[in-house]
Amino acid sequence: QVQLVESGGGLVQLGGSLRLSCAASGFTFSRNVIYWYRQAPGKERELVAAIGSAGGTRNYADSVKGRFTISRDNAKNTVYLQMNSLQPEDTATYYCNVQIYYSTSSEPAYYWGQGTQVTVSS
């Protein structure tokens, strides 16, 4: 039932910008923290950014602070990741994630989209 669909990736030159979107359905979007992760070839998936349910709290990995901005539009059930000043090190598949707690478990269920590829050339 829970679905996350990322879009907006592509090929961009060093220093360029992209805006990723994550369209969500199947859960109460406005009540959940949403996360952006990325995974580069040969590397572990890493947390890039997170945004609180109302958009007031935002956190970023040190590697993207000052360059990336996470935002959300709860009316559209969509989270965005604006990426500026892109570097080759940002090349990765980007995934959005939601962690939903159910009454039957103390641990959350993790839901992921299929990912969108970002390639930064230099």
Side-chain angles (χ1 to χ4, degrees), residues 75-98:
K76 296 182 178 180
N77 283 6
T78 301
V79 170
Y80 304 96
L81 185 67
Q82 178 67 46
M83 307 185 296
N84 299 325
S85 301
L86 284 163
Q87 304 169 5
E89 293 76 22
D90 297 316
T91 295
T93 301
Y94 285 72
Y95 302 88
C96 59
N97 160 263
V98 62

Side-chain angles (χ1 to χ4, degrees), residues 3-6 45 93-96 112-117:
Q3 298 285 333
L4 300 170
V5 180
E6 303 94 340
R45 188 170 297 187
T93 301
Y94 285 72
Y95 302 88
C96 59
W112 304 89
Q114 290 294 107
T116 186
Q117 178 67 38

Side-chain angles (χ1 to χ4, degrees), residues 18-90:
L18 287 172
R19 189 181 75 160
L20 307 184
S21 297
C22 171
S25 62
F27 65 99
T28 307
F29 180 82
S30 62
R31 297 180 182 176
N32 285 277
V33 176
I34 303 296
Y35 305 83
W36 279 102
Y37 286 78
R38 67 185 181 188
Q39 187 167 26
K43 295 186 177 181
E44 297 294 320
R45 188 170 297 187
E46 65 174 345
L47 178 63
V48 175
I51 187 165
S53 60
T57 300
R58 302 172 183 180
N59 291 288
Y60 301 93
D62 288 343
S63 59
V64 307
K65 285 182 179 177
R67 300 188 298 116
F68 290 13
T69 302
I70 188 171
S71 62
R72 67 193 296 163
D73 185 342
N74 286 345
K76 296 182 178 180
N77 283 6
T78 301
V79 170
Y80 304 96
L81 185 67
Q82 178 67 46
M83 307 185 296
N84 299 325
S85 301
L86 284 163
Q87 304 169 5
E89 293 76 22
D90 297 316

